[in-house]
Amino acid sequence: MLTKQSTYEPFTTETVVAYLKDGNFISKDSPVTCYEIGDGNLNYVFHVKEDDTGQSLIAKQALPYAKVVGESWPLTLDRARIESESLKEAAKYVPDLVPEVYGTDEVYAVTIMEDLSDYIILRKGLIEGRKYPKLATDIGKFIAHTLFHTSDFGLDPSEKKLLASKFVNPELCKITEDLVFTDPFFDHDTNDFPEELRPEVEALWADDELKLEAAKLKHLFLTKAEALIHGDLHSGSIFATEDSTKVIDPEFSFFGPIGFDVGAFIANLILNSLAQEARIEDEAVRRDFQAYLLDVIEETWNVFTAEFTKLWVDKGKDPFLAVSGYLDAVLDEILQETVGFAGNKIIRRTIGLSHVEDIHGIEDPEKRLNVQRESLKTGRHLILNRHYVNTIEDLINLVKGV
Ligand code: SR1
Ligand code: MG
């Protein structure tokens, strides 16, 4: 039996139950069923259910290393605090779009939160070709509200700086700086791709035009403390049903560029669309699903800009916000940065560490290779052409035109 103590230790299915009973998160009397269900790269996720009442919750615990690599990659436990604070910050603006946090313990690096077992991970649903009618509206709303309210457009600059000081997240940022922005563009040992793809990968490593743009995008990520971003908004960080969406896992949160969140979401829809080329055999069904994914991209952007505009007009703080053309200039810049970051994300998920199941799970190696080739081309195309994107239709045409 685990009693409350002042030092961290990783939970087991037994000790987490004792901990939750001790903290009155679950009944002391009921028998309990507990499984470790984490399938991510970094943490333990325990699903705990009282057998008597059927009431359930999730206890997510950070490990002091990256689970995907092992103990040789130490990682700060502070990410549990960041995740929990970020979820609570989002809940101020969009409570229906995040899981409720019941408790946080910085010693055990654990967050106790709402069980979302009725939902499925968006990535899995999209791989199965499922459509989600509320996805675009919900994610458009999520990004508009969380990003506007934590930016200098929605916050007093002193309050923003104070908030930013609670989200200093150097170790998790370094993962992104290395794995997304740097390693895929060089011959680095974290990269992971089949030998058959080596000619394309070596061409990318030698592509100075692309690397110059990749350098600029990395610098933006390093320096543009625009808003409290989720930091890892891929389709594995979203739970969905037909009529509800929940954003989870903001352990990479920090003050970064708005376009990084928007780009991450869009990149994962594009990756799924590319993968469907090898997954859905019936051409009409495939075309229909790929068109749906592009519609989600377009609608997400339209909802994002409509909501952001409303907030700008109703809640904007700075007198400059009333200056004609300023909002359009800000949104244009966000769109171009979104396109570039989406390109980075696509390249990273194809040849860097930590692939996506959409592509990785394609069984036929030849078909998988074709998708990987298209994916590399798409990522490059987005990065190089982002400055020509002035509307969301321009982005859709870029994606279609590869
Ligand atoms: C070592 S962590 C690998 C990746 O998992 C997370 O979801 C992030 O995307 C990170 O880059
Ligand atoms: Mg994650």
Side-chain angles (χ1 to χ4, degrees):
M1 157 107 180
L2 185 88
T3 48
K4 195 107 172 82
Q5 56 187 43
S6 57
T7 52
Y8 171 88
E9 67 180 70
F11 285 130
T12 64
T13 47
E14 285 79 35
T15 59
V16 74
V17 169
Y19 173 87
L20 293 169
K21 288 193 171 187
D22 197 38
N24 290 321
F25 289 105
I26 52 173
S27 151
K28 289 198 166 60
D29 308 320
S30 174
V32 163
T33 309
C34 174
Y35 295 106
E36 202 282 307
I37 56 167
D39 61 356
N41 290 323
L42 303 176
N43 308 293
Y44 277 156
V45 181
F46 296 96
H47 179 265
V48 184
K49 186 162 110 189
E50 291 176 6
D51 296 341
D52 285 353
T53 62
Q55 299 257 43
S56 57
L57 54 73
I58 292 293
K60 177 172 174 180
Q61 187 184 38
L63 291 164
Y65 54 86
K67 199 169 84 181
V68 66
V69 176
E71 297 191 28
S72 63
W73 187 336
L75 208 51
T76 176
L77 293 174
D78 190 43
R79 67 189 195 274
R81 178 192 64 80
I82 298 238
E83 169 164 345
S84 159
E85 292 298 318
S86 182
L87 285 173
K88 288 188 217 159
E89 191 60 32
K92 289 183 193 167
Y93 315 113
V94 280
D96 50 327
L97 299 180
V98 283
E100 188 181 341
V101 174
Y102 304 140
T104 311
D105 182 329
E106 288 183 29
V107 173
Y108 284 95
V110 66
T111 305
I112 325 294
M113 62 186 129
E114 184 182 353
D115 175 24
L116 299 173
S117 298
D118 294 343
Y119 292 67
I120 69 166
I121 286 287
L122 177 63
R123 186 181 306 289
K124 189 170 181 306
L126 294 180
I127 288 173
E128 290 167 3
R130 296 198 206 181
K131 295 182 182 176
Y132 293 94
K134 289 211 64 214
L135 179 62
T137 319
D138 285 346
I139 296 298
K141 195 171 152 205
F142 177 86
I143 50 185
H145 284 257
T146 56
L147 299 170
F148 177 85
H149 282 293
T150 59
S151 72
D152 286 295
F153 308 123
L155 265 186
D156 172 82
S158 304
E159 282 177 48
K160 184 203 165 206
K161 288 177 184 71
L162 190 62
L163 187 63
S165 71
K166 297 183 188 152
F167 287 93
V168 176
N169 198 358
E171 287 191 32
L172 281 281
C173 284
K174 182 169 164 39
I175 292 180
T176 306
E177 289 150 19
D178 291 347
L179 298 186
V180 177
F181 286 104
T182 311
D183 300 357
F185 296 90
F186 297 88
D187 185 1
H188 200 283
D189 59 10
T190 58
N191 289 326
D192 178 13
F193 56 85
E195 261 323 289
E196 294 84 341
L197 202 62
R198 182 166 282 278
E200 286 83 356
V201 175
E202 289 189 345
L204 188 145
W205 291 340
D207 187 341
D208 282 342
E209 190 191 1
L210 178 67
K211 285 166 81 170
L212 173 59
E213 295 308 315
K216 292 179 195 166
L217 287 161
K218 178 179 176 182
H219 192 252
L220 266 180
F221 182 81
L222 288 167
T223 57
K224 192 163 184 173
E226 196 171 21
L228 179 62
I229 66 170
H230 176 286
D232 200 23
L233 192 55
H234 56 79
S235 50
S237 296
I238 297 170
F239 267 121
T241 65
E242 287 256 308
D243 49 23
S244 177
T245 315
K246 301 271 185 187
V247 174
I248 59 165
D249 254 8
E251 64 198 314
F252 283 75
S253 265
F254 80 113
F255 273 73
I258 289 177
F260 190 73
D261 274 359
V262 192
F265 179 64
I266 286 178
N268 279 268
L269 297 175
I270 296 172
L271 283 162
N272 185 267
S273 175
L274 291 162
Q276 295 301 358
E277 211 54 43
R279 285 181 171 276
I280 304 178
E281 277 182 24
D282 183 298
E283 191 179 340
V285 176
R286 183 169 71 244
R287 296 282 162 244
D288 175 71
F289 194 68
Q290 289 170 323
Y292 159 75
L293 292 169
L294 292 182
D295 285 347
V296 174
I297 293 176
E298 188 168 345
E299 200 187 333
T300 302
W301 178 259
N302 289 337
V303 172
F304 166 70
T305 53
E307 293 280 328
F308 198 90
T309 301
K310 231 186 290 163
L311 292 167
W312 180 284
V313 172
D314 296 344
K315 309 223 156 147
K317 297 277 182 215
D318 188 322
F320 276 110
L321 269 58
V323 171
S324 165
Y326 186 29
L327 172 61
D328 286 345
V330 167
L331 290 174
D332 287 353
E333 195 167 280
I334 293 174
L335 180 59
Q336 295 191 350
E337 291 174 6
T338 291
V339 177
F341 289 136
N344 275 118
K345 289 276 199 179
I346 289 170
I347 289 174
R348 172 275 167 103
R349 292 294 187 192
T350 310
I351 60 171
L353 185 86
S354 186
H355 291 172
V356 287
E357 185 59 20
D358 314 49
I359 297 179
H360 201 64
I362 297 169
E363 280 175 20
D364 181 325
E366 206 44 50
K367 288 186 179 170
R368 187 168 62 236
L369 206 53
N370 285 337
V371 173
Q372 288 167 320
R373 290 196 176 105
E374 284 310 302
S375 176
L376 278 188
K377 275 198 234 165
T378 305
R380 179 178 186 277
H381 198 53
L382 294 185
I383 289 177
L384 288 179
N385 291 293
R386 70 186 190 284
H387 295 300
Y388 305 112
V389 174
N390 297 309
T391 63
I392 193 63
E393 290 78 22
D394 291 343
L395 168 58
I396 300 296
N397 288 333
L398 260 194
V399 175
K400 279 184 183 163
V402 176

